[in-house]
Amino acid sequence: MRHNLHPATPPRLLSYAAVGGAWERQGPLGEKFDYCATDDRFGCATWEEAEAQMSRFALSFALKKAGLNASALDLLAAGDLENQCVASSRGFSPLGIPFLGLFGACSTMIEGLIVATLALGGARELETAAVVTSSHNCAAERQFRTPLEYGAQRTPTAQWTATAAGAVLLGKSGRGPQVTAARIGRIVDGGVTDAANMGAAMAPAAADTLLSFLREEDAMPECILTGDLGREGSDLLCELLAKEGVELRPRHRDGGCLLYDFKTQDVHSGGSGCGCIASVLAADILPRLEAGELSSVLAVGTGALMSPDSLKQGASISGVAHAVRIEK
Amino acid sequence: MRHNLHPATPPRLLSYAAVGGAWERQGPLGEKFDYCATDDRFGCATWEEAEAQMSRFALSFALKKAGLNASALDLLAAGDLENQCVASSRGFSPLGIPFLGLFGACSTMIEGLIVATLALGGARELETAAVVTSSHNCAAERQFRTPLEYGAQRTPTAQWTATAAGAVLLGKSGRGPQVTAARIGRIVDGGVTDAANMGAAMAPAAADTLLSFLREEDAMPECILTGDLGREGSDLLCELLAKEGVELRPRHRDGGCLLYDFKTQDVHSGGSGCGCIASVLAADILPRLEAGELSSVLAVGTGALMSPDSLKQGASISGVAHAVRIEK
């Protein structure tokens, strides 16, 4: 029997921050980011180093908002899409914070919030934890698909890897919103092999985690934020849940659909990447929760578990989805 | 202030298992593995799929020894060296176990034991967790260096990625050894850029974690097992600790030095990979602990945080080391 997890002492969100690139600046949430670059290089020589820089920026903003130094952090859980998660290890190498590396593809922010919640509950020595995740469009494209310079055509179901990073600080005490429940997802493989349709690959995992979570709770969260299914995956998720008698649409939002303006920004099916739901949470959803515009959010991070090599070998793309409920 | 972590209720190790390849079968621990293949393909079409198969085998053996089905597991924490950790996601996709993907390079087994310990302590709903990590020499060589068919020369400081997987099951109750303390390591970068000398890249992180751990504890563990520094990194670690007045050699063992026979197996500086310390723990150290030959072991997992791309870009190889103390 698997269960939703309910922390005995729900941790508090101390602060959060979002950093993005030039394209994210032009999106509907651009003004809400703590910082958006005008040049996606972030002053670095490579896209990969730029992603590391962006992660550091996001953590720095969150620390500043909480009035803390990096030395106050007992734990940093972080991850990204680069091979061997080097954006995180390069980004945080200088800071000297106890570090847990995570890989959950685009679900990594939510995976990190669960790990941090469990860590704060499971060790009396830990008081404060940070979770940071990032993605960079140019680093991801050349790693997973083709370098941007090739000008490859994208299919309508393809998603746009966000150039963004999000950071969330959690503590055992404080006054911020609380993580009151969580569910660790299981891997679900729907047999999708098209890396240009990750929404379809992840929707079954999102449906599995969401239905399992809702069955064990009495109240429906006011907002259900998935990230990042895009338009294609969001439609599929809503269809899958409708079949089970759950009408999701009125309360459903998707990070990949919130980050860009579909009318003016050609992102096809929407945003994706470890930085997408992370930055949407930090720039938009959590501030609205704190301001009282929302009372409870179920954030469902969805990840497509694949590599360029597994795709070439014909392996299907598994999905995983983790959920945390955050309440004011 | 960072601290060693001491679980309020130390989790028990319920069972453990090690699976290896043909080369590991010929090593000093070959007889102690639960299973070693005669063909490193494990009946699969690719090395990558073989690694996934090996991970599944290791978990199956551990479950069998504990008398459990996969459905009894509340959590599976797993990771490997393949890009985006696909050996783990391919391996465990069919099992339906709540899944946390980790990346800590060769430290991943110890990182996983820490995450599982924190999870069991932090959520009353979790009773049983598994940690599985793996590496495959042929998959790793073609990903990080060159395909085996190229016959590339290796330098004396190079380590041999083990074709091995280890699985450990933990529970809140039981009669096995206990995880009584842990320390999450911080990233330490000594400026090493030579991917054929990962022992040197990881030794400073191992020294940092080990010294920090020992300073906070009264008793010295009977055995200190690092993994995987190889001969080069082990020498450096002992030198670094000697400078701080700690004589490590009498009680120090390294997974990379235990897995192969230096006289008959040409592994240069020793073994490495996520499966190395995992299989050495499961095949050798934990059985000796359970048999009473050892009373306490401090297992220090060391990881080299780098990717083929970060190396090409001239980035230095950061190290991280996590520690768990396991007592009978």
Side-chain angles (χ1 to χ4, degrees), chain A residues 32 39 46 87 207 234 253 271:
Chain A
K32 297 183 170 189
D39 173 354
T46 67
S234 292
R253 300 288 179 273

Side-chain angles (χ1 to χ4, degrees), chain A residues 207-227:
Chain A
D208 182 66
T209 296
L210 198 41
L211 284 168
S212 305
F213 183 89
L214 294 176
R215 274 191 203 112
E216 290 185 24
E217 302 293 325
D218 294 327
M220 190 76 152
E222 192 183 347
C223 169
I224 293 173
L225 174 76
T226 55

